Every structure is written in structure tokens, then in C-alpha cells.
Amino acid sequence: MSLLDIRNLSLSIHGAPILHEVSLTLARGDILGVIGESGSGKSMTAFATMQLLPEGAVPEGEVLLDGVDILSRSEREMCQIRGRDIGMVFQEPMTALNPLKTIGDQVAETVLLHEKVSRGVAQERAAEALTRAELPPEKFPMSRYPHELSGGQRQRVVIAMAIALRPKLLIADEPTTALDVTTQAQILTLLKKLVKEDGMAMMMITHDLAVVADMADHIAIMQKGRVVEEGPTAQIFRQMQHPYSKALLAASTHAPERSDESQEDPLLEVRQVRRTYTLPAKKLFGARRQIEAVKGVSFTLKRGESLGLVGESGCGKSTLTRAILGLEEVQSGEILLDGEPVFTGHKPNDVVRRKMQVVFQDPYGSFNPRHKVARLVAEPFHLTPDVPRAEREDRIAEALTAVGLTPGDAHKYIHEFSGGQRQRIAIARALITRPELILLDEAVSALDVQVRAQILDLLADLSKRYGLSYLFISHDLSVVRTITDRVMVMKSGEIVEEGPTEQVFDTPAHSYTQALVAAAPRLPDDVAA
């Protein structure tokens, strides 16, 4: 008998249909990968399984957990089932944790809510769960707070909370999207190990086929609230039938058409740049510590070139990016754009900064939701105050058209657009001052695979049309491989390897690069064409 049996699950919210007769089964010890883009219904299926539905939601059908119909349980009964029988790992660990509580207390809270034990016993159980999640208290004291941990460590705390009571079913909703490639591999390996040790079932929700290719026993692909294709993982990859499944696969391996039109003359020159931070003293009268985030980095980006910068969180990528943009002064070395220094004395050179723009990771968080698109796109004009108002309006229309939107979109608010459209608006904002260099900081990591493919095509087209140069900062090696001419690998503040992209990824010389390439998720070799 299946542990989880979802039968003809339909769901509407205030009368709007969301799910349509979804049927899925999951046995003990198995991993089910639920694949689909934003709005496909995969997360709503998981929330229905836990009865964590918004107001106005009306489910129909059956969700059987060990033969018990979840949809017929009261909220009081569900409070006992959640955490004890069903654990959940959310996408963003920082928002899933309470910043005011220690990690030990947060894991112990799961035990105290469901079992009548003393706080001391609960702390012991929490220590056991954290150890199983590879955060042993002797190395990571339970008195630490979430902000004192890295992203991967915070996700391990969330996993410890989910497995503290050894649930029958674990639901993992995009648990590795925000993590760098090696941390992602570690978290996926950990989840697989825990499923095997406890004999529990796991529903893994993601938009990335490569993430579950080597992990899931079965795959279900969802589109617009329906399961369009399902079956054993190997069979799905060898014999995909549905057009949507094939479109997801094509987008996962998509490489934009790019022309090699870079010139030999340098546009950006970084020479022996060092950036050191002074940290607070650990004791009242103790010495203040220093950490060197960037250690003598040098490189050149040619005009018209696309250069990748990869590395794990904390390697110094963001610090170097802020220095190039003139947002943080460096202690030594120099940064030149078009032969002119980014800093003059201790102040950023505004003339040089006008030639650079940046596109951030989160296309919604990088905009003020109170302003219309016209004002958002025109924000960089504070660097060029001499542009007349009439010309600004023409420039806004031109930028929106260049990224595949319409001039009429200038009069809308940012919440009226999808994630991919918001990122197009972010690129339009970067184009508005007609820069020579655009820095893209994880610019597609939050996007679905098909939308990501569209944005990469757009970037390649803009580079060709406007002669743009790109510095592409990312932890996603597959993206960097498809969009860059050369790549640099950064570790602990230093560039440990650089060269033509294909050469670095096919024959990595440095052990760190080899580890990054090995950790990257990949599709099976025998995948259907």
C-alpha cells in the first residue's frame, strides 16, 4: 500500500480553478520529484497535502496518508499530523527560521509541541536531529542564532526541524534554489541519506529537471494545475511524450545563439585589487580582527566580451562587484573602465560609473513597488541629469521595446508583471543610460528554466545589437557555460583559474574548479533528444 495516495485532487480559490484532478502515489522509502514552472500547481499540491491552504480554498478529491484522508481532518488534528507525520523543508531557510531564537530552541520546539517531554529531553532530541543533519553541536553550538550560520547551514537547521520526530513523509519545496552548487549537492545528498535511513517518503518540488535526475525514483511533471506526464525517472528521461515535458528539457539544455564579436582592446581592467574588512572584537577590550575578502585580484574584460565569475558564497564575488561599481573603495590596486579610474581619490568617478549598470538577482525586490515602471526604468538618470524630459520618455520607450515589452508597459506597476517580465524591466533599466558594461549578479537564478532561456537569448541579442560587455556573476555553472566567452573561478578572495569557458569546464585544472564541476547537477547521458 502507498504511503501517500492523492486521488483526483482538485482545488479552487474563491472560485478560480487551481488544480485539476491531480493523482499521485508515493511509497515508503521512495522519492517523488514534482516538476513544473511557477504557477504549475506543484507547491499548491504540497500545501493541500498538509492542509496549509489559503482562505477561500475549496479542495475536492482525496489525499490519503497511510490510509487516513487528510482533507477530512480538523485543524486540531492537522496540528498533530504536521511535524509528527509530515515534515516540510521550505525554499528560503532564513524566512523559515525565527531570528530571535537559537537553533537549538527552534529544533527542540518541534519536539515539545508534539510530545510531553521535559525541555532537557527536547534539547537532547534536538542535538540528535542537528547531528543527523550534519550540524553536530560540538562544532555548531545550539546556542547560535540563524544569522550566525551560512545559507547551507541554515537549510540544515530547517531539515533538522523537519526530521526531529522522524516523520513518515517529508516535503521539500525548492530546498536548494538559493544555494551555491557544492552546498546544493551536499543538501541533496543529505536528504537522500535521511530518506534511506528512516524509510520515509519524500516529495521533492522543483522547476529544475537536472536537480532530481539522479535523486528521484519517480517524476511527475505538472502544467497549469494538471499532471501531464509521470513515471519512473529513467523512463521519463528516455521516453518523454508530452510537449510541455520536452519544452522543459529543451530549456534546461538551451544555449543562446551568440556571435564572437569581442575586440582585443580592454574595457575593464582590474589590477591587484585588495579589499579588507575590520570585524568587531570578540571581547570588550580585545583586538579587532581583519578579514581580507579580495586578495590581489587582477583580470581584464575585453570590449564586447561576456566574462563569467563563479564561486561559492563567501568567495568574494559580491565584494569585488561592489568595488567595480564604485560602491566600495578598495585598500590597494586600481579598477579602470575605458582607461579611466572608477575612483578618483576617495570618491567614485561619476563619469565612469555612467558607463556601467547592474542587474540584480531578485527582479521584484530590486524595485520600489509604489512607483510605475516609467519611473523605475528611469532611475539611472540621476547619473545623467542633463537628459531632457522628452528624451527620457523616448529612451524609456526604446529600452522597454528592446527587452521585448511595449512602451505602454511604462504606465503599469511592477506587481502586474510575471517574474520573467520583471527581469526584462530590470534589464531595460540597465540599458537606459546606454552603458558599455552590464554586471549581472545572479540575474537568472530565481527564474524558471523556460523563462531563464528566454532571458539568456535576450542578453545575447542585446550584446550583439548594442555592443555590450557583460560580467556574469553566478553560482549556476550551466548558465555561465552557455552565456560566457571566458570564465574566472574565485575561491577565498582569489582567482584560482581562468580561461575560455569550454576549456575550464571540460578540463578544469584546479582542484576547486574540479569540485564545482563535479557538484553541478546534470541530466542523464541517455536523455531523449
Side-chain angles (χ1 to χ4, degrees), residues 5-219:
D5 192 359
I6 300 176
R7 301 176 181 173
N8 297 317
L9 174 64
S10 295
L11 177 72
S12 62
I13 300 178
H14 296 295
I18 305 298
L19 300 178
H20 307 273
E21 298 184 340
V22 172
S23 294
L24 298 169
T25 59
L26 180 56
R28 287 178 174 82
D30 278 359
I31 298 175
L32 172 66
V34 182
I35 317 294
E37 297 179 291
S38 298
S40 64
K42 57 188 189 300
S43 292
M44 198 57 68
T45 301
F47 292 146
T49 302
M50 299 187 73
Q51 264 210 58
L52 289 176
L53 295 171
E55 185 179 349
V58 180
E60 296 177 0
E62 293 179 304
V63 178
L64 302 176
L65 180 69
D66 229 1
V68 175
D69 187 4
I70 293 291
L71 298 182
S72 66
R73 302 295 97 178
S74 67
E75 180 60 22
R76 180 183 290 273
E77 290 172 317
M78 286 306 303
C79 285
Q80 291 300 311
I81 293 173
R82 299 185 200 115
R84 186 192 65 198
D85 296 329
I86 307 176
M88 186 147 190
V89 180
F90 295 95
Q91 177 175 353
E92 177 47 64
M94 196 60 181
T95 57
L97 295 172
N98 187 335
L100 302 180
K101 284 189 173 184
T102 65
I103 61 173
D105 284 345
Q106 294 192 61
V107 179
E109 183 180 31
T110 304
V111 180
L112 290 170
L113 284 172
H114 292 277
E115 297 185 4
K116 294 182 179 180
V117 297
S118 66
R119 184 167 292 277
V121 171
Q123 288 286 332
E124 291 175 7
R125 299 272 292 278
E128 177 191 355
L130 286 166
T131 300
R132 294 187 67 217
E134 300 175 356
L135 287 179
E138 58 268 21
K139 292 185 179 180
F140 303 92
M142 293 168 61
S143 58
R144 286 188 179 180
Y145 289 87
H147 71 269
E148 298 179 278
L149 303 176
S150 68
Q153 291 165 352
R154 287 195 288 262
Q155 194 63 293
R156 291 176 190 273
V157 175
V158 176
I159 292 171
M161 293 170 65
I163 65 163
L165 296 174
R166 298 181 184 260
K168 302 172 184 177
L169 172 65
L170 181 65
I171 299 175
D173 190 0
E174 300 276 14
T176 62
T177 299
L179 305 178
D180 56 54
V181 63
T182 51
T183 306
Q184 172 179 266
Q186 293 165 6
I187 294 297
L188 293 177
T189 301
L190 171 62
L191 289 170
K192 198 170 183 177
K193 183 187 79 168
L194 292 171
V195 168
K196 185 177 181 180
E197 289 177 353
D198 291 356
M200 64 182 172
M202 184 169 80
M203 182 189 293
M204 175 85 173
I205 298 167
T206 180
H207 64 260
D208 195 336
L209 283 165
V211 167
V212 295
D214 188 45
M215 187 171 182
D217 301 291
H218 293 79
I219 285 178

Side-chain angles (χ1 to χ4, degrees), residues 267-340:
L267 173 66
L268 175 68
E269 297 173 87
V270 177
R271 301 174 181 171
Q272 291 297 314
V273 166
R274 295 182 180 273
R275 180 71 173 94
T276 302
Y277 294 100
T278 301
L279 302 179
K282 288 190 173 182
K283 297 181 180 178
L284 182 59
F285 296 106
R288 300 182 71 183
R289 298 173 295 134
Q290 287 195 329
I291 180 170
E292 196 170 17
V294 179
K295 305 172 183 177
V297 167
S298 298
F299 68 88
T300 299
L301 189 156
K302 294 181 289 187
R303 200 176 298 275
E305 184 181 34
S306 182
L307 177 63
L309 177 61
V310 302
E312 297 176 295
S313 299
C315 71
K317 303 191 304 291
S318 296
T319 299
L320 180 59
T321 302
R322 290 194 296 270
I324 292 171
L325 289 167
L327 299 176
E328 285 190 11
E329 188 180 4
V330 298
Q331 275 82 15
S332 64
E334 62 178 348
I335 302 170
L336 305 175
L337 186 72
D338 265 343
E340 296 293 325

Side-chain angles (χ1 to χ4, degrees), residues 452-473:
R452 181 181 71 189
Q454 294 167 8
I455 295 298
L456 293 179
D457 279 340
L458 171 64
L459 292 172
D461 179 59
L462 292 173
S463 176
K464 188 188 306 181
R465 277 195 282 158
Y466 294 97
L468 295 171
S469 302
Y470 294 134
L471 179 59
F472 210 105
I473 302 109

Side-chain angles (χ1 to χ4, degrees), residues 230-267:
E230 63 175 318
T233 302
Q235 177 185 318
I236 288 290
F237 279 112
R238 283 198 305 266
Q239 303 172 2
M240 279 188 178
Q241 301 296 322
H242 197 275
Y244 179 71
S245 305
K246 294 178 180 179
L248 284 182
L249 178 62
S252 299
T253 57
H254 178 72
E257 293 184 10
R258 301 173 53 246
S259 59
D260 184 15
E261 297 181 359
S262 62
Q263 303 170 23
E264 289 305 314
D265 60 313
L267 173 66

